[in-house]
Amino acid sequence: MMNLGALSVSLAVKDIQASRDFYEKLGFEQVAGDMEANWLIMRNRHHVIGLFQGMFEANILTFNPGWDQDCNNVDEFTDVRDIQRELKKRGISLSSEADESSSGPASIMLSDPDGNTILIDQHR
């Protein structure tokens, strides 16, 4: 079984301040990001959402190999390049790929059958 890492939802928002205010009312707190750069990471216990204004058009499911739901490094994880090889072996088309000759941070992107974007973004 592939370990995709921590899951979050990256939301394409129209007004980052209005979105921040709304999600704070739902109990989310800002844990990272830069309001001036139009992106925030919000957390409610183990639930993580990213708010991104003007960075992409649609919402994205984001997985982070090497992290748990609290953004802590985990000792054992499946490298994004290994995930990439397995997905290709299973016949899944990727819209962007990681450099197979690299190591460390890298990402891949794909879409589900309904056109929802999935980002697998390894930070270490």
Side-chain angles (χ1 to χ4, degrees):
M1 179 165 81
M2 281 184 286
N3 179 356
L4 299 176
L7 169 66
S8 63
V9 178
S10 300
L11 300 174
V13 301
K14 294 178 181 141
D15 181 333
I16 196 159
Q17 184 63 56
S19 294
R20 177 184 176 177
D21 294 345
F22 175 81
Y23 284 101
E24 284 178 340
K25 289 174 185 172
L26 290 180
F28 283 82
E29 296 177 347
Q30 179 181 340
V31 295
D34 182 348
M35 189 68 115
E36 296 296 317
N38 290 326
W39 71 278
L40 299 174
I41 305 299
M42 310 284 293
R43 177 184 311 284
N44 179 324
R45 297 185 40 111
H46 298 293
H47 308 294
V48 180
I49 57 173
L51 306 177
F52 298 90
Q53 181 179 325
M55 295 185 180
F56 44 86
E57 293 183 22
N59 299 332
I60 300 173
L61 289 174
T62 303
F63 294 94
N64 299 110
W67 279 3
D68 66 16
Q69 282 303 119
D70 295 318
C71 300
N72 296 312
N73 291 340
V74 295
D75 291 332
E76 293 185 31
F77 67 96
T78 306
D79 187 86
V80 68
R81 285 154 286 268
D82 293 329
I83 294 169
Q84 174 174 285
R85 281 189 288 278
E86 183 62 29
L87 293 176
K88 290 169 112 178
K89 191 165 74 173
R90 294 179 184 189
I92 295 177
S93 297
L94 304 176
S95 54
S96 73
E97 298 184 17
D99 180 352
E100 291 279 346
S101 66
S102 68
S103 63
S107 65
I108 62 175
M109 290 183 83
L110 55 143
S111 296
D112 74 9
D114 295 301
N116 297 302
T117 301
I118 299 169
L119 170 65
I120 302 175
D121 191 18
Q122 181 175 307
H123 294 287
R124 61 185 195 111

